[in-house]
Amino acid sequence: MSKAHVVGLGKSGVAAARLLKREGWEVELSDRNTSETLLEQQQELAAEQITVKLGQSLELNGANLPQLIVVSPGVPWDIPVLVEARQLGIETIGEMELAWRNLRSLPWVGITGTNGKTTTTALIAAIFQAAELNAPACGNIGYAACEVALSQGAGSREQGAGGAGEKFDNSSVDWVIAEVSSYQIESSSSLAPRIGVWTTFTPDHLSRHQTLENYYNIKAKLLRQSELQVFNGDDAYLSQLGLSAWPDAYWTSVKGKDFLISEKGFYIEDGWVVEKLTATSAPEPIVKVSSLRMVGEHNQQNLLMAVATARLAGINRDAIALAVREFPGVAHRLEHICTWEGIDFINDSKATNYDAAEVGLASVNSPAILIAGGEAKAGDDTAWLAQIQTKAAAVLLIGSAAPAFAERLREVGYHNYHIVETMERAVPKSAELAKQYQAPVVLLSPACASFDQYPNFEVRGDRFRHLCLAWAGGWKPARVELPELENSSQESIVQSR
């Protein structure tokens, strides 16, 4: 029996291991970490004859080498053991590639981009589902791609995008709607969607990809291998490349027909999303922009790309209009949590870089109380800082980036910041400051990764949501001194009943 090794015991790794087992492989799965949850998974998988090694990394020694290595999305592609594996001629692929090999007979939509891809993916899936297509969102959102592959020809599993208790629709899948990160593209050699969508491109993940050129080329690979291509024509980087790099793409613009990069595409005019499928076809209105409940020009861009994808897939206007009207938005992306005494608390935890955080702040009413910080990323913070100066009445800084962010704010002449260190301090302090400055909005938009304090941005956003709802539910303020906090007032408010 051929041997396969899966690296990483996350949702993707478990799904990959199960899929390989079903295909007849002898499967071993390893994870450097160990925890009670992982131990439970280990026992569950052992019952399925899948060996799980916790607290261990893949080692290539001895005669019993695997013929195939499958890598979970979060595992760096260039770690020494994977480089060695490829040098030894061991086929090494990502979980997304394994899913593609099992589902390549189906049409795929592959959505990538620095920002905007999750909302765009979710909206595309909603439109396809409104057209009564079984089109699960998967990959970097929702189900692991291999869970979709497992659903074909097997019973439904009570796991995946909807969380515990929500069953996967295991009837025949019509389309696969995949959000694909640069990590997943990097480890996918043959993934070739019917429709590829590129939402935005700005510097991100450079600690992994090293240079902007490498990062661009990884993203571009997905689009080059796509039969049809949809591009955000309002993105500064992508629009600069334009037709010279992507002559056959469908471009979009929120600014109108005159700003379309090519003679075909999708644009906004007189409050409508308008389609122009060929250079000679007449423009055709598809859906009212006002149908979309989400705020911000960036969400109009996401709408354009989603509608373009749906129309290229042959979906009618009625299904599009229905889905857009009912689309609630995406958790952790400008998600309205609650309103407390006229102040809206908004969760934008998914804004893990400067560009996303700038968009988040630009999208809400001003003045706003901003909560930012976490584990800082490389990138240009200039536009984000300018947005803070324009729209933020005060900034509360959390996490390891707080001192550096405070210094950057001072450098640009912004002094109304407070280092509060934790979310538990930030939420009540934000309510106090919102009252003080008559700010209509408290916005968590961190501009940072979460890993200094939380496992991921979802857990960070969930914590913010919990604290906001608890506050709105009647917790009363009590003033305490916070030691060694650098701001104009050394006080904060903490929760007390």
Side-chain angles (χ1 to χ4, degrees), residues 159-176:
Q159 57 190 20
E166 182 169 329
K167 290 188 178 182
F168 191 98
D169 178 1
N170 68 318
S171 59
S172 180
V173 169
D174 300 305
W175 281 77
V176 178

Side-chain angles (χ1 to χ4, degrees), residues 350-362:
K350 199 176 189 306
T352 60
N353 56 49
Y354 298 119
D355 299 289
E358 179 204 347
V359 167
L361 192 51

Side-chain angles (χ1 to χ4, degrees), residues 7 10 50 57 59 110 125-126 133 172 180 192 207 215-216 283 346 374 405 416 456 468 493:
V7 183
I50 296 172
S57 298
E59 292 183 355
L133 295 167
S172 180
V180 194
S207 59
Y215 181 43
Y216 173 83
I346 295 177
F405 277 10
N416 201 16
N456 52 51
C468 290
I493 295 179

Side-chain angles (χ1 to χ4, degrees), residues 442-466:
V442 168
L443 173 68
L444 169 66
S445 193
C448 284
S450 58
F451 305 124
D452 58 331
Q453 294 179 315
Y454 301 95
N456 52 51
F457 73 80
E458 291 97 339
V459 174
R460 176 172 62 191
D462 289 342
R463 184 61 180 157
F464 176 73
R465 182 190 297 110
H466 170 78

Side-chain angles (χ1 to χ4, degrees), residues 253-396:
S253 180
V254 300
K255 301 172 187 175
K257 182 180 178 181
D258 292 344
F259 290 86
L260 269 191
I261 287 173
S262 72
E263 293 184 314
K264 62 182 183 181
F266 293 75
Y267 57 92
I268 292 176
E269 190 168 88
D270 298 329
W272 284 80
V273 171
V274 179
E275 151 188 299
K276 196 171 188 303
L277 285 179
T278 69
T280 56
S281 63
E284 190 173 343
I286 304 299
V287 64
K288 280 189 172 182
V289 177
S290 59
S291 301
L292 188 69
R293 285 187 270 172
M294 295 182 297
V295 298
E297 187 177 275
H298 67 291
N299 278 321
Q300 294 181 9
Q301 292 165 340
N302 297 336
L303 173 65
L304 279 171
M305 291 180 285
V307 171
T309 302
R311 293 296 288 166
L312 292 175
I315 292 175
N316 66 46
R317 287 191 290 280
D318 290 343
I320 293 171
L322 173 64
V324 171
R325 269 198 316 273
E326 296 186 350
F327 187 66
V330 174
H332 311 295
R333 192 69 183 107
L334 290 171
E335 175 192 12
H336 182 269
I337 301 300
C338 62
T339 301
W340 173 77
E341 297 194 13
I343 302 159
D344 291 327
F345 287 76
I346 295 177
N347 169 23
D348 198 31
S349 183
K350 199 176 189 306
T352 60
N353 56 49
Y354 298 119
D355 299 289
E358 179 204 347
V359 167
L361 192 51
S363 300
V364 301
N365 293 326
S366 60
I369 306 300
L370 173 66
I371 302 171
E375 185 179 291
K377 289 183 177 181
D380 183 355
D381 63 3
T382 308
W384 176 64
L385 291 169
Q387 195 68 240
I388 288 173
Q389 290 174 293
T390 302
K391 296 201 70 167
V395 179
L396 301 175

Side-chain angles (χ1 to χ4, degrees), residues 89-354:
I90 300 171
E91 185 175 21
T92 306
I93 63 173
E95 178 264 346
M96 180 71 73
E97 173 72 12
L98 178 64
W100 163 253
R101 293 180 183 187
N102 280 267
L103 296 168
R104 64 189 309 159
S105 62
L106 297 173
W108 283 52
V109 178
I111 303 99
T112 196
T114 309
N115 297 308
K117 58 184 179 291
T118 297
T119 301
T120 304
T121 302
L123 182 52
I124 289 171
I127 293 172
F128 278 58
Q129 289 156 20
E132 300 185 349
L133 295 167
N134 185 8
C138 68
N140 209 39
I141 179 180
Y143 298 97
C146 281
E147 285 184 290
V148 179
L150 275 168
S151 76
Q152 301 304 283
S156 63
R157 294 189 175 275
E158 293 189 7
Q159 57 190 20
E166 182 169 329
K167 290 188 178 182
F168 191 98
D169 178 1
N170 68 318
S171 59
S172 180
V173 169
D174 300 305
W175 281 77
V176 178
I177 313 297
E179 178 186 332
V180 194
S181 71
S182 56
Y183 300 176
Q184 290 163 317
I185 299 169
E186 191 175 36
S187 58
S188 297
S189 56
S190 65
L191 174 59
R194 175 77 56 81
I195 304 171
V197 182
W198 195 337
T199 60
T200 56
F201 185 74
T202 53
D204 199 12
H205 305 301
L206 297 188
S207 59
R208 173 153 168 171
H209 300 312
Q210 305 304 319
T211 68
L212 192 65
E213 184 180 15
N214 285 344
Y215 181 43
Y216 173 83
N217 286 333
I218 290 166
K219 295 280 193 190
K221 184 173 83 166
L222 181 75
L223 276 293
R224 291 193 185 105
Q225 294 182 179
S226 299
E227 186 179 327
L228 299 169
Q229 302 152 343
V230 175
F231 280 80
N232 175 4
D234 296 323
D235 180 84
Y237 194 100
L238 297 176
S239 63
Q240 192 173 11
L241 296 170
L243 293 176
S244 60
W246 305 98
D248 298 319
Y250 291 85
W251 294 84
T252 67
S253 180
V254 300
K255 301 172 187 175
K257 182 180 178 181
D258 292 344
F259 290 86
L260 269 191
I261 287 173
S262 72
E263 293 184 314
K264 62 182 183 181
F266 293 75
Y267 57 92
I268 292 176
E269 190 168 88
D270 298 329
W272 284 80
V273 171
V274 179
E275 151 188 299
K276 196 171 188 303
L277 285 179
T278 69
T280 56
S281 63
E284 190 173 343
I286 304 299
V287 64
K288 280 189 172 182
V289 177
S290 59
S291 301
L292 188 69
R293 285 187 270 172
M294 295 182 297
V295 298
E297 187 177 275
H298 67 291
N299 278 321
Q300 294 181 9
Q301 292 165 340
N302 297 336
L303 173 65
L304 279 171
M305 291 180 285
V307 171
T309 302
R311 293 296 288 166
L312 292 175
I315 292 175
N316 66 46
R317 287 191 290 280
D318 290 343
I320 293 171
L322 173 64
V324 171
R325 269 198 316 273
E326 296 186 350
F327 187 66
V330 174
H332 311 295
R333 192 69 183 107
L334 290 171
E335 175 192 12
H336 182 269
I337 301 300
C338 62
T339 301
W340 173 77
E341 297 194 13
I343 302 159
D344 291 327
F345 287 76
I346 295 177
N347 169 23
D348 198 31
S349 183
K350 199 176 189 306
T352 60
N353 56 49
Y354 298 119

